[in-house]
Amino acid sequence: MKDIVVADVRNFVLMGHTASGKTTLADAMLYKMGVNDRLGSVDQGTSLGDYTDEEKSRKTTIYAKSFCGLYKSSDGHNMDIVFCDTPGYADFFGQVIQASRIAGAALITVDAHAGIQVGTMKAWKQASALDIPRAIVVTGLDRENSPFDKVMADIKATWGDRCIPVLIPLPDNSAVVDVLAATSVPDSISEGVKAAKGALVEMAAETDDTLIEKYLAGESLTAREIADGLRHAVFDRKLVPVFACMALKNVGVGELLDGIARFFPSPADRPMKDASGKAIDTSPSAPFVGYVWRTVNDPFIGHMSFVYVCGGTLKADTEVLNVNKEQKERIVQFVALNGKKQLPITEAEAGDIVAIAKLKVTGLGDSLCQNGVKATFEPFKFPNPVMWFAIAAKTQGDEDKIGTALHKLAEDDPTIHVERHPDTHETILSGMGDTHLSVAVERMKKRNSVDVVLSTPKIPYTETITGRAEGHYKHKKQSGGRGQYGEVYLKVEPLLEGDEEWFDNALVGGAIPHNFVPAVQKGVVEGMTKGALAGCPVVKVKSTVYDGSYHDVDSSEIAFKIAGSRAFREAISKAKPVLLEPIMSVKITIPEHFMGDVNGDMSHRRGRIVGMESADGLQVITADIPQAELFTYCAELRSMTGGRGSFEMSFSRYDVVPSNVAQKIIAAAAKVKEEDQD
Ligand SMILES: Nc1nc2c(ncn2[C@@H]2O[C@H](COP(=O)(O)OP(=O)(O)O)[C@@H](O)[C@H]2O)c(=O)[nH]1
Ligand SMILES: [Mg+2]
C-alpha cells in the first residue's frame, strides 16, 4: 500500500514538438523523485525513457511510456506522480493519441530557442480536442539567444493571456523564482514577477464570487485562497501556468513538481468517462475499472497490456472481466513501470498505470472490470495512413514469418496497416510516414528476425469500356478422337450505375443449348480478369450473348468457356476501352504562405482543388489527387513546408486515366508481358 489518497495523485502527459526536451524533463523528474539514482540522459543513451534500440540509435522517443514516483512537495505533502512521455515527431502521433486519452492534464514543452513549432501546435490541438487542462514548460533557456521574455511573448501571442508564468528563471538561469512566493528578486526580473503575480491573483479571485468581492474591495487573498482559485482556473482551462525549467542542469525541477502538485487536478477531479458519458467512480473501494491504452509485443517480456486504473483497486491474483470481449481474464501479477524499469506491486488505484503480462484476449482499447461493472470506452480515432509500400520477404519462404510479424506490429500500433491487395496481389504496409514505416521494418528485423524489401506499390488500375461493340469467336479443334466445338457471339456495353445485370442471355432458337450458357458466362468472367489495354481487371461492363452455334458431339463446357472469353476480349478491345485509376480525396493543412508552392505542386500531381477554407490561421485545401501521385507526397509536403504541412486522405472513386498518362502505363504493361514471355 502506498498510503496516498486519490486526491494526491497527479496524472499527466508530456507532449510537444520533437527535441523540445520532453524526455530530458522526464529523466530529471524521475531523478528528483528518487526513481533513478542518476540523471538519465537521452544523448548518452542512459535515459529511463528512450531505452529501446530504435530510440537509442535515433536519440528520440518513438513509443509512449509511463512513469511514476512519489514526491514530497515543498509543503510536506506526499504526492503520487504518474505521467507518460510521448514522441513529438508527426509519424508517431498515434502514440500521443493513446497516451493523451488517459491523461488528467497535459504538460506541453516549448523550447525557448525554437519557440512554438508545428509539433507544439499539434500537441495543443490534441489537448484541446480532449479538453484537457494544460500547463507549459519552457525548456532550452540556456541556449543562445533564448530569453524567457521572448518565448513568453510568443506563447501569449499564440494562446493568449491565459498563459501566465508561475516560475520565472533568474537571468543567469541558476535558479527559478516562484512568482507567488518570491519576496526579493533581482531588479531585472522584478517587473515580470510583479505583473505575473498580479495576473495570477486576479485570475484566482475570478474563480469565486466571494473572492472577487474581496479582491475588488482591495483586501488581499490568502495563499490558500489563491492556490485553490488557481487550481480551479487550470481545471476550467482558463489558466495555463507556464513554468521555466532547466532540466539538463537539474534546475527548477522540484519547483515544477510542486507546480504540478498545486495546479493539476487529481483523478478524482477529472475521472475518465465511459462511452455513455458516465464518470467512473475513482474511490479505492469502488469496483475496479481499468482501461488498456497501449499494448506491446516484445520478445523479452512477451505480450504486455498497459492498463490505466480509472477507479477502484486492482489487486494481484484476481479475476477481471474484459467487457469488450465478454471474457474473463486472470491477473496473477502486475508491475508499475518506469520506462524499462519494472517494479512489482500488489495494488493499484485510480491514476496508476500498470503493465500486465500475458493476458489472453485483451487488446488495445479494451476495458477490464470487476464486481459486475461493464464500462466500455469510446474507441480511439486514429488518422488514416499517408504513406504506403509494398512489402515482401527478402528471403523466399519467409512469407509466413512476415505475416505473423506484421500482424503483431499492427495489433500494437493502430496507425500501421497491413493489407493484401486483391488485384495487385501485393501486401501493402501503410502508416504515418517514412520514418514510421522504416522503424516498423527495423523492429521486425530485430525482434522477429525477418528481413523485408519495400517497394512502391503497384497501382490497382482497372479497365472499362466507353462504347458498345460486338465480339465473336469460334473454338473448333479436330485432332483425332473427339473434337472441341463452341461458337459465341456477344456484345458489350457500359454497365450503367445501379444495374446489377452484368451478363444477359439473348439467345433465340437454341443457338447455344441452355446447359452451355453458364460456361459462356464463366468465359466472360475469365475475360474480365485481364483487360485489353494493360491486362488489368475489367469493371462495369455488361455482356449479352446473342448468338452462336454448337456441335452435337464435339461441344463441351470448356469449348464454350474458351469461346466466351475470346469473344469478350475481342468485343471490349473494340468498345473504346479506357484505363481507370483510384482517386483519393485529400485534405491538406498548411500555413497560408505555403499556398503558392503547394498549389503549384498539385498541378504536377494531376490534382484538382475542390475546396479551400481557413481555420485557426491555417489553410485547408481539399483536393482530388490520383493515388499514383501520392506515394511520396507525405515526405514532399513536409519538406516543402518545413514540416508544417500535413494531410489526410481517403479513397474517393475511380476515374479515367488521361490518355497521355495511360499510354505510358499501357506501354509498361506490354513490356512486362513481353519479358514474361521471354
Ligand atoms: N541546451 C539544452 N538542451 C536540451 C534541453 N533539454 C533537452 N535538451 C537536449 O535536446 C535534445 C532533445 O531532447 P529530448 O529530451 O530528447 O527531447 P524530446 O524529443 O522532446 O523528448 C537532447 O540532445 C537534449 O540533451 C535544455 O533545456 N537545454
Ligand atoms: Mg523524447
Side-chain angles (χ1 to χ4, degrees), residues 427-619:
T427 301
I428 306 295
L429 174 70
S430 58
M432 305 310 300
D434 44 0
T435 310
H436 187 211
L437 296 177
S438 68
V439 165
V441 167
E442 183 183 322
R443 192 179 156 92
M444 284 203 323
K445 189 170 173 177
K446 280 228 174 81
R447 307 199 179 178
N448 308 83
S449 16
V450 283
D451 224 346
V452 298
V453 271
L454 297 180
S455 54
T456 305
K458 290 183 196 152
I459 312 289
Y461 295 109
T462 58
E463 298 182 19
T464 192
I465 52 173
T466 55
R468 295 159 171 255
E470 291 170 1
H472 162 239
Y473 193 77
K474 184 197 274 188
H475 184 62
K476 186 176 178 185
K477 260 193 183 156
Q478 207 69 54
S479 50
R482 196 180 144 191
Q484 291 182 32
Y485 187 93
E487 185 179 28
V488 170
Y489 286 86
L490 56 73
K491 57 178 185 183
V492 293
E493 62 198 306
L495 183 70
L496 299 177
E497 205 61 55
D499 188 358
E500 279 168 18
E501 293 289 323
W502 57 272
F503 183 80
D504 213 0
N505 177 355
L507 289 161
V508 283
I512 298 173
H514 278 314
N515 54 326
F516 288 132
V517 174
V520 176
Q521 187 171 359
K522 271 188 200 150
V524 170
V525 169
E526 191 183 286
M528 288 180 80
T529 60
K530 271 195 158 70
L533 295 174
C536 305
V538 179
V539 296
K540 293 194 180 155
V541 172
K542 178 168 186 160
S543 303
T544 308
V545 54
Y546 64 90
D547 204 358
S549 66
Y550 70 103
H551 185 277
D552 281 337
V553 181
D554 291 346
S555 276
S556 65
E557 283 195 11
I558 186 80
F560 273 107
K561 188 176 163 197
I562 291 170
S565 159
R566 300 279 169 88
F568 176 80
R569 204 155 290 171
E570 184 192 277
I572 56 165
S573 62
K574 295 194 299 193
K576 297 191 200 130
V578 288
L579 266 187
L580 300 176
E581 64 179 339
I583 306 291
M584 308 300 282
S585 169
V586 186
K587 204 168 117 185
I588 306 161
T589 307
I590 47 164
E592 206 106 12
H593 58 280
F594 291 116
M595 281 288 283
D597 290 347
V598 170
N599 283 345
D601 172 77
M602 185 101 60
S603 56
H604 295 304
R605 292 179 195 274
R606 304 190 277 125
R608 199 171 59 88
I609 295 176
V610 291
M612 249 188 252
E613 57 187 294
S614 47
D616 299 341
L618 294 168
Q619 199 70 31

Side-chain angles (χ1 to χ4, degrees), residues 70-198:
L70 298 179
Y71 180 67
K72 196 179 187 95
S73 67
S74 59
D75 58 6
H77 234 71
N78 281 320
M79 307 293 297
D80 183 6
I81 308 280
V82 182
F83 65 97
C84 290
D85 183 24
T86 62
Y89 197 55
D91 284 39
F92 305 109
F93 197 68
Q95 301 280 319
V96 179
I97 293 176
Q98 286 171 245
S100 56
R101 185 65 183 276
I102 55 164
L107 193 55
I108 297 175
T109 48
V110 177
D111 175 11
H113 186 72
I116 289 163
Q117 296 167 279
V118 199
T120 335
M121 294 299 284
K122 213 166 168 185
W124 184 275
K125 233 175 156 173
Q126 177 67 10
S128 295
L130 297 176
D131 224 354
I132 310 178
R134 65 214 80 142
I136 292 169
V137 184
V138 172
T139 61
L141 284 159
D142 56 299
R143 294 191 218 257
E144 291 263 304
N145 230 332
S146 316
F148 186 73
D149 288 349
K150 193 172 111 199
V151 66
M152 205 53 234
D154 195 7
I155 290 170
K156 278 190 190 270
T158 312
W159 296 311
D161 286 339
R162 62 186 153 160
C163 304
I164 307 176
V166 293
L167 294 178
I168 292 181
L170 289 182
D172 64 356
N173 289 324
S174 60
V176 293
V177 170
D178 179 341
V179 164
L180 288 168
T183 43
S184 72
V185 296
D187 286 347
S188 60
I189 60 165
S190 68
E191 272 302 309
V193 170
K194 211 173 130 197
K197 185 171 182 176

Side-chain angles (χ1 to χ4, degrees), residues 16-25 41-43 50 59-61 85-86 88 109 139-143 245-249:
H17 192 81
T18 188
S20 59
K22 294 179 290 299
T23 307
T24 303
L25 186 63
S41 154
V42 172
D43 304 309
D50 292 357
K59 289 194 168 43
T60 193
T61 311
D85 183 24
T86 62
T109 48
T139 61
L141 284 159
D142 56 299
R143 294 191 218 257
C245 184
M246 280 67 82
L248 267 188
K249 304 214 169 75

